[in-house]
């Protein structure tokens, strides 16, 4: 990906006025045609609220993390659930990503649409319908690779039952699924809680004709606190367990792959977990090659809230200035709808348009009605509440002369991009001057 365009891909759907943020009087367009329309974010060409991606920041972020993992000798499998956008997947793959991570089998379609052939399902697949769907995808796309996670014998038994039924009259369906053992944390989500438990499961997997073990997965992202005294020991413990399990599985001949996948990584502690994905070292190194895969997702757009706070600590650990680190690439623009009392401004964007699960949006820019040049908002301004379709912006003690007026536009930075992307079926991509130069679609 570069600063001039997203990669062109065969998947080029039509978008129209049924898509939120699309001009109501415009004809339907292919995604690839949007950048030719001469539209401007602040030119009254598109209705607000409007989620907009910054082209330069996208390119910077995509290259930044790819450079980091390459330096560590790892591969990158960005978590696609953040954006579920074939156009952004294509950009990540073009920058050098090994493949794309998903959390549900149905999300694989977006990876295939992007031209991707390697998928990591960072979740347990337990529903018979999903297992049949995955088997069908692997049959229809012979080059597709899509290992998923296992953490219980009961799950293996479900897979075996589905495989046994599917194999009747369809011998090709008997090909085993690739799986990764998941190592979890007490009180967390999924994953085996002890090395001994995981090793016992690995033995059961090795004995099954329905699955074959190709690696180990873990996840530290939910636990990031920004406090090194807590984060480092947590990551170190996961690393010890993952490496111990890998050594034990190899010693017993439980892996059924030429190379062993070791994978982890959210978008908060990626710098701490990354070195461990190369596998045990020295006398404890595995005999097989190790493919280390980092699967951060939110990095592609970063944010102005939750991840900005956590990645600030990663920047410090990496010796990277904030200016050179990840940059917020997603802004939701809203219109001032009302100024019902002094110091209170009501915007026309709310929970249906913006993330709110990891913090409220942050006012960043303002553009007066009829103008096209935005300016930074006063630091005192604060979004204090969201309704379904409205944001409550308090001005506090800021200069009254700067107060927004009805019809002005406010650019909001978001916290946690995943839960903004899932509220939009498309997003325009703008250059540094606000010109719409491209677009992406999502599959939510």
């Amino acid at each position: 990906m570069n600063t001039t365009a997203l990669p062109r891909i065969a998947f080029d759907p039509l978008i129209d006025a049924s898509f939120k943020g699309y001009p109501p009087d415009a004809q339907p367009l292919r995604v690839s045609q949007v950048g030719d329309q001469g539209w401007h974010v602040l030119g009254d060409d598109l209705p607000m609220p409007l989620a907009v991606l910054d082209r330069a920041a996208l390119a910077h972020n995509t290259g930044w993390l790819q450079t980091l993992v390459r330096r560590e000798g790892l591969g990158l499998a960005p978590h696609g659930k953040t954006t579920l956008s074939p156009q952004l997947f294509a950009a990540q793959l073009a920058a050098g990503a090994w493949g794309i991570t998903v959390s549900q089998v149905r999300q694989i379609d977006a990876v295939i649409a992007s031209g991707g052939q390697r998928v990591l399902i960072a979740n347990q697949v337990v529903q018979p319908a999903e297992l049949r769907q995955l088997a069908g995808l692997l049959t229809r796309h012979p080059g597709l690779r899509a290992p998923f996670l296992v953490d219980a014998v009961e799950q293996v038994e479900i897979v075996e039952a589905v495989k046994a039924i599917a194999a009747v009259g369809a011998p090709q369906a008997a090909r085993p699924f690739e799986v990764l053992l998941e190592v979890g944390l007490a009180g967390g989500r999924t994953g085996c809680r002890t090395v001994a438990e995981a090793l016992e499961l690995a033995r059961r997997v090795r004995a099954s004709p329905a699955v074959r073990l190709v690696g180990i997965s873990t996840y530290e992202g939910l636990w990031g606190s920004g406090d090194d005294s807590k984060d480092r020991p947590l990551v170190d413990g996961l690393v010890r367990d993952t490496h111990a399990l890998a050594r034990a599985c190899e010693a017993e001949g439980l892996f059924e792959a030429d190379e062993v996948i070791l994978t982890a990584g959210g978008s908060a502690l990626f710098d701490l977990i990354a070195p461990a994905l190369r596998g045990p070292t020295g006398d404890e190194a595995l005999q097989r090659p190790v493919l280390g895969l980092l699967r951060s997702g939110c990095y592609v757009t970063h944010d102005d809230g939750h991840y900005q706070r956590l990645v600030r600590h990663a920047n410090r650990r990496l010796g990277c200035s904030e200016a050179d680190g990840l940059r917020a690439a997603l802004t939701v623009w809203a219109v001032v709808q009302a100024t019902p009392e002094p110091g209170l401004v009501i915007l026309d964007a709310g929970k249906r348009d913006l993330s709110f699960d990891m913090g409220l949006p942050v006012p960043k820019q303002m553009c007066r009605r009829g103008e096209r040049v935005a300016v930074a908002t006063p630091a005192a301004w604060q979004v204090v509440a969201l309704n379904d379709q409205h944001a409550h912006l308090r001005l506090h003690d800021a200069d009254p002369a700067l107060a927004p007026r009805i019809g002005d536009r406010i650019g909001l930075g978001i916290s946690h991009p995943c839960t903004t992307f899932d509220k939009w079926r498309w997003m325009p991509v703008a250059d540094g001057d606000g010109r719409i130069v491209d677009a992406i679609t999502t599959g939510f």
Side-chain angles (χ1 to χ4, degrees):
M1 180 177 179
N2 54 47
T3 57
T4 51
L6 294 169
R8 292 273 72 91
I9 57 176
F11 182 70
D12 192 17
L14 278 171
I15 55 177
D16 58 30
S18 68
F19 286 55
K20 180 172 62 175
Y22 191 88
D25 54 353
Q27 293 297 310
L29 294 171
R30 297 284 176 189
V31 169
S32 61
Q33 297 174 307
V34 169
D36 300 326
Q37 303 308 304
W39 293 338
H40 192 282
V41 174
L42 300 172
D44 293 325
D45 298 310
L46 301 101
M48 293 183 181
L50 182 68
V52 180
L53 295 170
D54 181 282
R55 178 177 63 178
L58 283 174
H60 170 82
N61 294 347
T62 304
W64 187 89
L65 193 60
Q66 192 66 53
T67 298
L68 182 132
V69 298
R70 188 179 296 121
R71 189 172 66 230
E72 294 286 350
L74 304 176
L76 181 63
H79 210 317
K81 66 154 178 74
T82 296
T83 70
L84 208 57
S85 168
Q87 295 82 13
L88 292 177
F89 291 173
Q92 292 169 308
L93 292 168
W98 173 87
I100 301 294
T101 297
V102 300
S103 57
Q104 297 175 327
V105 172
R106 74 168 193 87
Q107 295 171 350
I108 296 175
D109 286 336
V111 181
I112 294 171
S114 76
Q117 286 286 292
R118 290 187 288 208
V119 178
L120 198 161
I121 306 173
N123 215 347
Q124 284 69 26
V125 181
V126 297
Q127 297 183 68
E130 272 205 306
L131 288 162
R132 292 193 298 269
Q133 183 183 16
L134 178 57
L137 286 168
L138 292 169
T139 299
R140 292 192 300 276
H141 303 277
L144 180 65
R145 187 177 185 190
F148 59 85
L149 309 188
V150 293
D151 68 354
V153 169
E154 291 86 349
Q155 180 191 357
V156 176
E157 292 171 346
I158 291 171
V159 176
E160 289 172 336
V162 171
K163 276 287 188 184
I165 295 171
V168 177
Q172 72 276 9
R175 187 178 71 168
F177 291 119
E178 292 185 314
V179 297
L180 305 166
L181 289 172
E182 185 180 14
V183 176
L185 285 165
R189 287 192 314 210
T190 51
C192 298
R193 295 312 199 237
T194 68
V195 173
E197 177 188 347
L199 184 58
E200 190 62 32
L201 176 59
R203 294 173 183 138
R204 177 65 175 81
V205 168
R206 184 65 179 85
S208 174
V211 290
R212 65 186 184 94
L213 185 62
V214 299
I216 300 171
S217 172
T218 191
Y219 177 56
E220 81 299 335
L222 280 180
W223 302 86
S225 67
D227 182 344
D228 283 6
S229 68
K230 296 178 181 178
D231 293 340
R232 286 185 183 276
L234 179 138
V235 171
D236 289 346
L238 275 178
V239 169
R240 283 194 300 271
D241 286 351
T242 301
H243 286 183
L245 180 59
R247 291 193 300 270
C249 286
E250 184 172 72
E252 295 190 24
L254 304 181
F255 289 122
E256 295 185 83
D258 293 334
E259 66 179 1
V260 175
I261 295 174
L262 296 182
T263 178
S267 293
L269 303 177
F270 56 85
D271 62 306
L272 295 180
I273 198 74
L277 300 181
R278 293 193 294 266
T281 58
D283 294 340
E284 297 182 336
L286 303 186
Q287 297 302 305
R288 286 176 173 81
V290 171
L291 172 61
L293 292 176
L294 187 69
R295 54 178 197 267
S296 307
C298 293
Y299 79 96
V300 69
T301 62
H302 197 42
D303 71 11
D304 288 287
H306 177 74
Y307 285 104
Q308 181 190 66
R309 289 188 292 272
L310 289 177
V311 172
R312 184 174 293 131
H313 298 285
N315 288 337
R316 171 180 49 78
R317 292 188 294 261
L318 291 166
C320 174
S321 70
E322 288 202 40
D324 293 331
L326 295 174
R327 302 170 186 169
L330 174 56
T331 300
V332 176
W333 283 91
V335 173
V336 175
Q337 184 171 325
T339 55
E341 59 189 65
L344 176 64
V345 173
I346 303 300
L347 310 178
D348 70 344
K351 293 180 180 179
R352 301 292 179 90
D353 314 298
L354 296 148
S355 308
F356 56 91
D357 56 317
M358 291 185 177
L360 295 177
V362 180
K364 298 195 304 181
Q365 301 176 78
M366 179 179 73
C367 183
R368 294 294 189 189
R369 180 169 60 90
E371 297 181 2
R372 289 192 176 203
V373 178
V375 297
T377 57
W381 290 10
Q382 181 185 18
V383 173
V384 296
L386 291 180
N387 305 133
D388 282 358
Q389 310 282 186
H390 300 94
H392 298 240
L393 175 63
R394 284 287 180 185
L395 307 185
H396 297 302
D397 297 325
D399 184 351
L402 300 176
R405 300 186 287 267
I406 291 174
D408 290 347
R409 285 73 54 85
I410 305 294
L412 299 170
I414 57 92
S415 180
H416 191 204
C418 299
T419 49
T420 291
F421 270 96
D422 66 5
K423 296 169 174 56
W424 297 86
R425 296 165 62 198
W426 84 295
M427 292 182 186
V429 179
D431 67 11
D433 294 323
R435 292 186 293 264
I436 304 301
V437 294
D438 216 325
I440 63 101
T441 55
T442 70
F444 294 103

